[in-house]
Amino acid sequence: MSFDSNFTAVVTGGASGLGRATSELLLKNGAQVLVLDMDQEAGEEFSQAHERAEFIKTDVTQAKEVEAALKTGQSQLGSMRALIQCAGIAKAEKILNKDGSPQELEHFAQVVQVNLLGTFNVMRLAAAQMKSNEPDSDGERGVIVNTSSIAAFEGQIGQTAYASSKAGVHALTLPAARELAREGIRVTCIAPGIFDTPLLAGLPEKARVSLAQQMPFPQRLGQAEEFASLAHEIITNKFLNGETIRLDGALRMPPR
Ligand SMILES: NC(=O)c1ccc[n+]([C@@H]2O[C@H](COP(=O)([O-])OP(=O)(O)OC[C@H]3O[C@@H](n4cnc5c(N)ncnc54)[C@H](O)[C@@H]3O)[C@@H](O)[C@H]2O)c1
């Protein structure tokens, strides 16, 4: 479905991977897109390559930075109707190191800070902007799509921080959707399985092949375009609300 020419979507983490593919699909369907990302080089390159895309370097964990970016975006592109949150980090670390010493508390906190607090931070500020939008014929003023992970449900060894942060993103979906219903704002969540993005680029080829072989069907890694397609469906299908949707080719992660 194509969007009205003044339909604006904000995409966090839109300079890479799942967020970038989503931004591209929304642009292709006529939306204006504001990309918020820490990666200045990739973000600027993206906005220069796409006429209806803007980029503002933003750290999703910083309240003032996000507030300012959303304000600037609103004055440049109009108020946002959709927020898709893909900014995130995936750091693996065991509770006990090889020498028996405990994981640094700071390392755990950093992952939760970006993935959970960052997601909540942008969501709260976006909701405050969306609530003043003109409602559409269904009374909808906006839609928020957050990104969890199947690690929220089957975290592997070394994923305590990542799994906790993503479980938090899943858990806030329903209470947020219930609360923001009165404003006409939907809140949903996608829990991807394993997708072929720069996030996985650090893995050796052998590990990537082994991951793909664990997939029930199709026996390959997910493509970022498949994530983008689901995000687009969520934006346009008004009856999707308060739900986390797994997008994983039936993968259930083993302990390691
Ligand atoms: N790729 C996968 O297999 C997979 C699986 C499950 C969940 N996810 C989740 O999907 C989301 C997107 O992942 P991806 O694979 O596209 O990763 P990616 O590394 O390709 O993209 C993530 C983007 O987020 C940005 N970012 C990181 N920290 C930020 C911050 N504090 N503020 C603003 N931007 C920040 C990065 O600069 C990057 O551009 C992440 O939340 C990730 O945890 C990915």
Side-chain angles (χ1 to χ4, degrees), residues 13 15-19 36-39 58-61 86-89 114 147-149 162 166 192-195 197-200:
S16 174
L18 305 183
L36 305 183
D37 202 296
M38 291 264 279
D39 187 337
T58 315
D59 178 347
V60 294
T61 67
C86 295
I89 54 173
V114 175
T147 305
S148 175
S149 162
Y162 185 71
K166 293 298 186 177
I194 303 171
F195 278 68
T197 71
L199 196 83
L200 289 197

PDB file of all heavy atoms in Angstrom, residues 13 15-19 36-39 58-61 86-89 114 147-149 162 166 192-195 197-200, ligand 1:
ATOM      1  N   GLY A  13      18.016   3.481  14.138  1.00  0.00           N
ATOM      2  CA  GLY A  13      18.897   2.443  13.586  1.00  0.00           C
ATOM      3  C   GLY A  13      18.716   2.296  12.088  1.00  0.00           C
ATOM      4  O   GLY A  13      19.052   1.265  11.507  1.00  0.00           O
ATOM      5  N   ALA A  15      20.254   3.495   9.646  1.00  0.00           N
ATOM      6  CA  ALA A  15      21.428   3.598   8.770  1.00  0.00           C
ATOM      7  C   ALA A  15      21.971   2.235   8.370  1.00  0.00           C
ATOM      8  O   ALA A  15      22.852   2.145   7.524  1.00  0.00           O
ATOM      9  CB  ALA A  15      22.520   4.409   9.480  1.00  0.00           C
ATOM     10  N   SER A  16      21.448   1.168   8.973  1.00  0.00           N
ATOM     11  CA  SER A  16      22.029  -0.163   8.716  1.00  0.00           C
ATOM     12  C   SER A  16      20.961  -1.254   8.831  1.00  0.00           C
ATOM     13  O   SER A  16      19.898  -1.047   9.439  1.00  0.00           O
ATOM     14  CB  SER A  16      23.136  -0.411   9.755  1.00  0.00           C
ATOM     15  OG  SER A  16      23.655  -1.716   9.660  1.00  0.00           O
ATOM     16  N   GLY A  17      21.253  -2.388   8.243  1.00  0.00           N
ATOM     17  CA  GLY A  17      20.502  -3.625   8.476  1.00  0.00           C
ATOM     18  C   GLY A  17      18.993  -3.531   8.343  1.00  0.00           C
ATOM     19  O   GLY A  17      18.460  -3.069   7.333  1.00  0.00           O
ATOM     20  N   LEU A  18      18.292  -3.972   9.392  1.00  0.00           N
ATOM     21  CA  LEU A  18      16.823  -4.072   9.352  1.00  0.00           C
ATOM     22  C   LEU A  18      16.184  -2.686   9.223  1.00  0.00           C
ATOM     23  O   LEU A  18      15.198  -2.501   8.489  1.00  0.00           O
ATOM     24  CB  LEU A  18      16.304  -4.767  10.626  1.00  0.00           C
ATOM     25  CG  LEU A  18      16.903  -6.151  10.941  1.00  0.00           C
ATOM     26  CD1 LEU A  18      16.252  -6.745  12.192  1.00  0.00           C
ATOM     27  CD2 LEU A  18      16.728  -7.108   9.760  1.00  0.00           C
ATOM     28  N   GLY A  19      16.743  -1.701   9.930  1.00  0.00           N
ATOM     29  CA  GLY A  19      16.199  -0.338   9.880  1.00  0.00           C
ATOM     30  C   GLY A  19      16.389   0.296   8.506  1.00  0.00           C
ATOM     31  O   GLY A  19      15.508   1.009   8.010  1.00  0.00           O
ATOM     32  N   LEU A  36      17.156   8.162  12.486  1.00  0.00           N
ATOM     33  CA  LEU A  36      17.934   8.541  13.673  1.00  0.00           C
ATOM     34  C   LEU A  36      18.914   7.412  13.944  1.00  0.00           C
ATOM     35  O   LEU A  36      18.498   6.253  14.117  1.00  0.00           O
ATOM     36  CB  LEU A  36      17.016   8.717  14.894  1.00  0.00           C
ATOM     37  CG  LEU A  36      15.850   9.696  14.770  1.00  0.00           C
ATOM     38  CD1 LEU A  36      15.100   9.793  16.103  1.00  0.00           C
ATOM     39  CD2 LEU A  36      16.329  11.072  14.331  1.00  0.00           C
ATOM     40  N   ASP A  37      20.197   7.733  13.971  1.00  0.00           N
ATOM     41  CA  ASP A  37      21.211   6.696  14.170  1.00  0.00           C
ATOM     42  C   ASP A  37      22.475   7.347  14.698  1.00  0.00           C
ATOM     43  O   ASP A  37      22.710   8.531  14.498  1.00  0.00           O
ATOM     44  CB  ASP A  37      21.488   5.995  12.823  1.00  0.00           C
ATOM     45  CG  ASP A  37      22.096   4.613  12.986  1.00  0.00           C
ATOM     46  OD1 ASP A  37      23.237   4.503  13.501  1.00  0.00           O
ATOM     47  OD2 ASP A  37      21.445   3.623  12.602  1.00  0.00           O
ATOM     48  N   MET A  38      23.301   6.530  15.359  1.00  0.00           N
ATOM     49  CA  MET A  38      24.595   7.007  15.880  1.00  0.00           C
ATOM     50  C   MET A  38      25.629   7.098  14.773  1.00  0.00           C
ATOM     51  O   MET A  38      26.614   7.816  14.908  1.00  0.00           O
ATOM     52  CB  MET A  38      25.125   5.985  16.892  1.00  0.00           C
ATOM     53  CG  MET A  38      24.358   5.890  18.155  1.00  0.00           C
ATOM     54  SD  MET A  38      25.118   6.895  19.397  1.00  0.00           S
ATOM     55  CE  MET A  38      26.429   5.789  19.914  1.00  0.00           C
ATOM     56  N   ASP A  39      25.427   6.318  13.718  1.00  0.00           N
ATOM     57  CA  ASP A  39      26.436   6.205  12.659  1.00  0.00           C
ATOM     58  C   ASP A  39      26.272   7.341  11.655  1.00  0.00           C
ATOM     59  O   ASP A  39      25.460   7.266  10.722  1.00  0.00           O
ATOM     60  CB  ASP A  39      26.287   4.835  11.980  1.00  0.00           C
ATOM     61  CG  ASP A  39      27.404   4.557  10.981  1.00  0.00           C
ATOM     62  OD1 ASP A  39      28.020   5.535  10.488  1.00  0.00           O
ATOM     63  OD2 ASP A  39      27.650   3.381  10.704  1.00  0.00           O
ATOM     64  N   THR A  58      21.783  10.736  16.210  1.00  0.00           N
ATOM     65  CA  THR A  58      21.103  10.703  17.503  1.00  0.00           C
ATOM     66  C   THR A  58      21.454   9.428  18.259  1.00  0.00           C
ATOM     67  O   THR A  58      21.458   8.339  17.686  1.00  0.00           O
ATOM     68  CB  THR A  58      19.563  10.696  17.307  1.00  0.00           C
ATOM     69  OG1 THR A  58      19.215  11.669  16.323  1.00  0.00           O
ATOM     70  CG2 THR A  58      18.823  11.000  18.585  1.00  0.00           C
ATOM     71  N   ASP A  59      21.702   9.596  19.543  1.00  0.00           N
ATOM     72  CA  ASP A  59      21.875   8.436  20.417  1.00  0.00           C
ATOM     73  C   ASP A  59      20.536   8.209  21.111  1.00  0.00           C
ATOM     74  O   ASP A  59      20.062   9.076  21.859  1.00  0.00           O
ATOM     75  CB  ASP A  59      22.981   8.748  21.441  1.00  0.00           C
ATOM     76  CG  ASP A  59      23.203   7.609  22.425  1.00  0.00           C
ATOM     77  OD1 ASP A  59      22.362   6.690  22.497  1.00  0.00           O
ATOM     78  OD2 ASP A  59      24.225   7.653  23.143  1.00  0.00           O
ATOM     79  N   VAL A  60      19.920   7.049  20.869  1.00  0.00           N
ATOM     80  CA  VAL A  60      18.554   6.823  21.383  1.00  0.00           C
ATOM     81  C   VAL A  60      18.470   6.828  22.902  1.00  0.00           C
ATOM     82  O   VAL A  60      17.384   6.979  23.470  1.00  0.00           O
ATOM     83  CB  VAL A  60      17.943   5.498  20.846  1.00  0.00           C
ATOM     84  CG1 VAL A  60      17.719   5.567  19.352  1.00  0.00           C
ATOM     85  CG2 VAL A  60      18.782   4.287  21.227  1.00  0.00           C
ATOM     86  N   THR A  61      19.620   6.698  23.577  1.00  0.00           N
ATOM     87  CA  THR A  61      19.577   6.673  25.046  1.00  0.00           C
ATOM     88  C   THR A  61      19.550   8.076  25.656  1.00  0.00           C
ATOM     89  O   THR A  61      19.345   8.223  26.849  1.00  0.00           O
ATOM     90  CB  THR A  61      20.809   5.923  25.632  1.00  0.00           C
ATOM     91  OG1 THR A  61      21.991   6.688  25.357  1.00  0.00           O
ATOM     92  CG2 THR A  61      20.948   4.538  25.027  1.00  0.00           C
ATOM     93  N   CYS A  86      14.719   0.267  15.334  1.00  0.00           N
ATOM     94  CA  CYS A  86      15.668  -0.801  15.028  1.00  0.00           C
ATOM     95  C   CYS A  86      17.038  -0.571  15.652  1.00  0.00           C
ATOM     96  O   CYS A  86      17.933  -1.397  15.477  1.00  0.00           O
ATOM     97  CB  CYS A  86      15.813  -0.957  13.511  1.00  0.00           C
ATOM     98  SG  CYS A  86      14.304  -1.501  12.701  1.00  0.00           S
ATOM     99  N   ALA A  87      17.243   0.556  16.335  1.00  0.00           N
ATOM    100  CA  ALA A  87      18.546   0.785  16.963  1.00  0.00           C
ATOM    101  C   ALA A  87      18.757  -0.269  18.038  1.00  0.00           C
ATOM    102  O   ALA A  87      17.859  -0.536  18.840  1.00  0.00           O
ATOM    103  CB  ALA A  87      18.606   2.178  17.577  1.00  0.00           C
ATOM    104  N   GLY A  88      19.914  -0.878  18.043  1.00  0.00           N
ATOM    105  CA  GLY A  88      20.183  -1.882  19.069  1.00  0.00           C
ATOM    106  C   GLY A  88      21.598  -2.402  18.970  1.00  0.00           C
ATOM    107  O   GLY A  88      22.269  -2.227  17.959  1.00  0.00           O
ATOM    108  N   ILE A  89      22.049  -3.015  20.065  1.00  0.00           N
ATOM    109  CA  ILE A  89      23.381  -3.640  20.058  1.00  0.00           C
ATOM    110  C   ILE A  89      23.243  -5.062  20.590  1.00  0.00           C
ATOM    111  O   ILE A  89      22.322  -5.367  21.356  1.00  0.00           O
ATOM    112  CB  ILE A  89      24.411  -2.855  20.909  1.00  0.00           C
ATOM    113  CG1 ILE A  89      23.913  -2.640  22.349  1.00  0.00           C
ATOM    114  CG2 ILE A  89      24.725  -1.515  20.251  1.00  0.00           C
ATOM    115  CD1 ILE A  89      24.964  -2.021  23.273  1.00  0.00           C
ATOM    116  N   VAL A 114      20.898   0.642  25.920  1.00  0.00           N
ATOM    117  CA  VAL A 114      20.618   0.922  24.502  1.00  0.00           C
ATOM    118  C   VAL A 114      19.310   0.241  24.080  1.00  0.00           C
ATOM    119  O   VAL A 114      18.404   0.878  23.526  1.00  0.00           O
ATOM    120  CB  VAL A 114      21.792   0.447  23.592  1.00  0.00           C
ATOM    121  CG1 VAL A 114      21.421   0.625  22.117  1.00  0.00           C
ATOM    122  CG2 VAL A 114      23.065   1.214  23.918  1.00  0.00           C
ATOM    123  N   THR A 147      11.497  -3.351  18.135  1.00  0.00           N
ATOM    124  CA  THR A 147      12.159  -4.603  17.741  1.00  0.00           C
ATOM    125  C   THR A 147      12.718  -5.335  18.952  1.00  0.00           C
ATOM    126  O   THR A 147      13.601  -4.830  19.656  1.00  0.00           O
ATOM    127  CB  THR A 147      13.300  -4.319  16.736  1.00  0.00           C
ATOM    128  OG1 THR A 147      12.754  -3.590  15.636  1.00  0.00           O
ATOM    129  CG2 THR A 147      13.893  -5.618  16.219  1.00  0.00           C
ATOM    130  N   SER A 148      12.178  -6.522  19.189  1.00  0.00           N
ATOM    131  CA  SER A 148      12.688  -7.407  20.236  1.00  0.00           C
ATOM    132  C   SER A 148      13.624  -8.401  19.564  1.00  0.00           C
ATOM    133  O   SER A 148      14.381  -8.054  18.646  1.00  0.00           O
ATOM    134  CB  SER A 148      11.497  -8.084  20.929  1.00  0.00           C
ATOM    135  OG  SER A 148      11.918  -9.034  21.868  1.00  0.00           O
ATOM    136  N   SER A 149      13.555  -9.661  19.950  1.00  0.00           N
ATOM    137  CA  SER A 149      14.374 -10.737  19.355  1.00  0.00           C
ATOM    138  C   SER A 149      13.817 -12.032  19.888  1.00  0.00           C
ATOM    139  O   SER A 149      13.238 -12.062  20.985  1.00  0.00           O
ATOM    140  CB  SER A 149      15.828 -10.583  19.814  1.00  0.00           C
ATOM    141  OG  SER A 149      16.528 -11.794  19.619  1.00  0.00           O
ATOM    142  N   TYR A 162      21.489  -9.340  26.638  1.00  0.00           N
ATOM    143  CA  TYR A 162      20.720  -9.127  25.403  1.00  0.00           C
ATOM    144  C   TYR A 162      19.296  -9.669  25.559  1.00  0.00           C
ATOM    145  O   TYR A 162      18.318  -8.982  25.229  1.00  0.00           O
ATOM    146  CB  TYR A 162      21.445  -9.808  24.234  1.00  0.00           C
ATOM    147  CG  TYR A 162      20.824  -9.552  22.893  1.00  0.00           C
ATOM    148  CD1 TYR A 162      20.897  -8.295  22.296  1.00  0.00           C
ATOM    149  CD2 TYR A 162      20.148 -10.563  22.213  1.00  0.00           C
ATOM    150  CE1 TYR A 162      20.320  -8.046  21.057  1.00  0.00           C
ATOM    151  CE2 TYR A 162      19.572 -10.327  20.967  1.00  0.00           C
ATOM    152  CZ  TYR A 162      19.658  -9.072  20.393  1.00  0.00           C
ATOM    153  OH  TYR A 162      19.085  -8.832  19.171  1.00  0.00           O
ATOM    154  N   LYS A 166      15.787  -7.518  25.463  1.00  0.00           N
ATOM    155  CA  LYS A 166      14.779  -7.773  24.431  1.00  0.00           C
ATOM    156  C   LYS A 166      13.469  -8.297  25.026  1.00  0.00           C
ATOM    157  O   LYS A 166      12.386  -8.065  24.474  1.00  0.00           O
ATOM    158  CB  LYS A 166      15.334  -8.753  23.390  1.00  0.00           C
ATOM    159  CG  LYS A 166      16.476  -8.166  22.576  1.00  0.00           C
ATOM    160  CD  LYS A 166      16.015  -6.949  21.788  1.00  0.00           C
ATOM    161  CE  LYS A 166      17.066  -6.396  20.849  1.00  0.00           C
ATOM    162  NZ  LYS A 166      16.576  -5.261  20.053  1.00  0.00           N
ATOM    163  N   PRO A 192      12.599 -10.737  15.672  1.00  0.00           N
ATOM    164  CA  PRO A 192      13.258 -11.451  14.572  1.00  0.00           C
ATOM    165  C   PRO A 192      14.057 -12.649  15.071  1.00  0.00           C
ATOM    166  O   PRO A 192      14.552 -12.657  16.205  1.00  0.00           O
ATOM    167  CB  PRO A 192      14.211 -10.397  13.988  1.00  0.00           C
ATOM    168  CG  PRO A 192      13.872  -9.102  14.641  1.00  0.00           C
ATOM    169  CD  PRO A 192      13.224  -9.438  15.945  1.00  0.00           C
ATOM    170  N   GLY A 193      14.191 -13.636  14.178  1.00  0.00           N
ATOM    171  CA  GLY A 193      15.127 -14.744  14.418  1.00  0.00           C
ATOM    172  C   GLY A 193      16.510 -14.281  14.003  1.00  0.00           C
ATOM    173  O   GLY A 193      16.969 -13.222  14.432  1.00  0.00           O
ATOM    174  N   ILE A 194      17.159 -15.021  13.100  1.00  0.00           N
ATOM    175  CA  ILE A 194      18.523 -14.639  12.706  1.00  0.00           C
ATOM    176  C   ILE A 194      18.505 -14.062  11.302  1.00  0.00           C
ATOM    177  O   ILE A 194      18.127 -14.741  10.346  1.00  0.00           O
ATOM    178  CB  ILE A 194      19.467 -15.847  12.783  1.00  0.00           C
ATOM    179  CG1 ILE A 194      19.431 -16.408  14.212  1.00  0.00           C
ATOM    180  CG2 ILE A 194      20.883 -15.441  12.440  1.00  0.00           C
ATOM    181  CD1 ILE A 194      20.145 -17.707  14.373  1.00  0.00           C
ATOM    182  N   PHE A 195      18.905 -12.803  11.209  1.00  0.00           N
ATOM    183  CA  PHE A 195      18.868 -12.077   9.933  1.00  0.00           C
ATOM    184  C   PHE A 195      20.271 -11.726   9.470  1.00  0.00           C
ATOM    185  O   PHE A 195      21.158 -11.450  10.288  1.00  0.00           O
ATOM    186  CB  PHE A 195      18.022 -10.796  10.079  1.00  0.00           C
ATOM    187  CG  PHE A 195      16.555 -11.065   9.956  1.00  0.00           C
ATOM    188  CD1 PHE A 195      15.878 -11.787  10.933  1.00  0.00           C
ATOM    189  CD2 PHE A 195      15.843 -10.643   8.843  1.00  0.00           C
ATOM    190  CE1 PHE A 195      14.517 -12.073  10.808  1.00  0.00           C
ATOM    191  CE2 PHE A 195      14.489 -10.919   8.707  1.00  0.00           C
ATOM    192  CZ  PHE A 195      13.831 -11.637   9.690  1.00  0.00           C
ATOM    193  N   THR A 197      22.494  -9.371   8.535  1.00  0.00           N
ATOM    194  CA  THR A 197      22.737  -7.916   8.586  1.00  0.00           C
ATOM    195  C   THR A 197      24.149  -7.685   9.112  1.00  0.00           C
ATOM    196  O   THR A 197      24.787  -8.632   9.597  1.00  0.00           O
ATOM    197  CB  THR A 197      21.759  -7.209   9.560  1.00  0.00           C
ATOM    198  OG1 THR A 197      22.132  -7.580  10.897  1.00  0.00           O
ATOM    199  CG2 THR A 197      20.315  -7.564   9.298  1.00  0.00           C
ATOM    200  N   PRO A 198      24.624  -6.440   9.078  1.00  0.00           N
ATOM    201  CA  PRO A 198      25.960  -6.160   9.628  1.00  0.00           C
ATOM    202  C   PRO A 198      26.122  -6.594  11.094  1.00  0.00           C
ATOM    203  O   PRO A 198      27.234  -6.832  11.553  1.00  0.00           O
ATOM    204  CB  PRO A 198      26.079  -4.643   9.487  1.00  0.00           C
ATOM    205  CG  PRO A 198      25.244  -4.328   8.293  1.00  0.00           C
ATOM    206  CD  PRO A 198      24.071  -5.264   8.382  1.00  0.00           C
ATOM    207  N   LEU A 199      24.987  -6.710  11.817  1.00  0.00           N
ATOM    208  CA  LEU A 199      25.055  -7.168  13.210  1.00  0.00           C
ATOM    209  C   LEU A 199      25.698  -8.556  13.291  1.00  0.00           C
ATOM    210  O   LEU A 199      26.362  -8.896  14.262  1.00  0.00           O
ATOM    211  CB  LEU A 199      23.637  -7.226  13.788  1.00  0.00           C
ATOM    212  CG  LEU A 199      23.479  -7.309  15.304  1.00  0.00           C
ATOM    213  CD1 LEU A 199      23.570  -5.924  15.913  1.00  0.00           C
ATOM    214  CD2 LEU A 199      22.137  -7.918  15.662  1.00  0.00           C
ATOM    215  N   LEU A 200      25.470  -9.374  12.257  1.00  0.00           N
ATOM    216  CA  LEU A 200      26.016 -10.735  12.243  1.00  0.00           C
ATOM    217  C   LEU A 200      27.335 -10.818  11.478  1.00  0.00           C
ATOM    218  O   LEU A 200      27.956 -11.874  11.429  1.00  0.00           O
ATOM    219  CB  LEU A 200      25.033 -11.703  11.573  1.00  0.00           C
ATOM    220  CG  LEU A 200      23.745 -12.056  12.303  1.00  0.00           C
ATOM    221  CD1 LEU A 200      23.133 -13.297  11.688  1.00  0.00           C
ATOM    222  CD2 LEU A 200      23.983 -12.315  13.779  1.00  0.00           C
TER     223      LEU A 200
HETATM  224  N1  LIG B   1      20.144  -9.246  12.766  1.00  0.00           N
HETATM  225  C1  LIG B   1      19.539 -10.113  13.539  1.00  0.00           C
HETATM  226  O1  LIG B   1      19.704 -11.332  13.376  1.00  0.00           O
HETATM  227  C2  LIG B   1      18.613  -9.658  14.646  1.00  0.00           C
HETATM  228  C3  LIG B   1      17.890 -10.637  15.335  1.00  0.00           C
HETATM  229  C4  LIG B   1      17.040 -10.250  16.350  1.00  0.00           C
HETATM  230  C5  LIG B   1      16.913  -8.916  16.686  1.00  0.00           C
HETATM  231  N2  LIG B   1      17.645  -7.988  16.017  1.00  0.00           N
HETATM  232  C6  LIG B   1      17.498  -6.597  16.431  1.00  0.00           C
HETATM  233  O2  LIG B   1      17.142  -5.811  15.317  1.00  0.00           O
HETATM  234  C7  LIG B   1      17.641  -4.488  15.476  1.00  0.00           C
HETATM  235  C8  LIG B   1      18.421  -4.106  14.222  1.00  0.00           C
HETATM  236  O3  LIG B   1      19.495  -5.007  14.079  1.00  0.00           O
HETATM  237  P1  LIG B   1      20.394  -5.084  12.765  1.00  0.00           P
HETATM  238  O4  LIG B   1      20.702  -6.519  12.565  1.00  0.00           O
HETATM  239  O5  LIG B   1      19.779  -4.292  11.693  1.00  0.00           O
HETATM  240  O6  LIG B   1      21.729  -4.385  13.333  1.00  0.00           O
HETATM  241  P2  LIG B   1      22.721  -3.319  12.672  1.00  0.00           P
HETATM  242  O7  LIG B   1      23.937  -3.342  13.549  1.00  0.00           O
HETATM  243  O8  LIG B   1      22.879  -3.595  11.221  1.00  0.00           O
HETATM  244  O9  LIG B   1      21.938  -1.938  12.848  1.00  0.00           O
HETATM  245  C9  LIG B   1      21.738  -1.373  14.119  1.00  0.00           C
HETATM  246  C10 LIG B   1      21.840   0.137  13.981  1.00  0.00           C
HETATM  247  O10 LIG B   1      21.580   0.704  15.267  1.00  0.00           O
HETATM  248  C11 LIG B   1      22.456   1.796  15.445  1.00  0.00           C
HETATM  249  N3  LIG B   1      22.631   2.065  16.878  1.00  0.00           N
HETATM  250  C12 LIG B   1      23.265   1.298  17.809  1.00  0.00           C
HETATM  251  N4  LIG B   1      23.227   1.911  18.997  1.00  0.00           N
HETATM  252  C13 LIG B   1      22.547   3.078  18.834  1.00  0.00           C
HETATM  253  C14 LIG B   1      22.188   4.151  19.692  1.00  0.00           C
HETATM  254  N5  LIG B   1      22.511   4.156  20.998  1.00  0.00           N
HETATM  255  N6  LIG B   1      21.485   5.197  19.171  1.00  0.00           N
HETATM  256  C15 LIG B   1      21.162   5.219  17.858  1.00  0.00           C
HETATM  257  N7  LIG B   1      21.489   4.243  16.996  1.00  0.00           N
HETATM  258  C16 LIG B   1      22.177   3.183  17.471  1.00  0.00           C
HETATM  259  C17 LIG B   1      23.755   1.371  14.767  1.00  0.00           C
HETATM  260  O11 LIG B   1      24.566   2.491  14.444  1.00  0.00           O
HETATM  261  C18 LIG B   1      23.228   0.647  13.540  1.00  0.00           C
HETATM  262  O12 LIG B   1      23.117   1.514  12.434  1.00  0.00           O
HETATM  263  C19 LIG B   1      18.486  -4.502  16.762  1.00  0.00           C
HETATM  264  O13 LIG B   1      17.705  -4.021  17.818  1.00  0.00           O
HETATM  265  C20 LIG B   1      18.776  -5.974  16.960  1.00  0.00           C
HETATM  266  O14 LIG B   1      19.001  -6.299  18.316  1.00  0.00           O
HETATM  267  C21 LIG B   1      18.493  -8.320  15.001  1.00  0.00           C
END
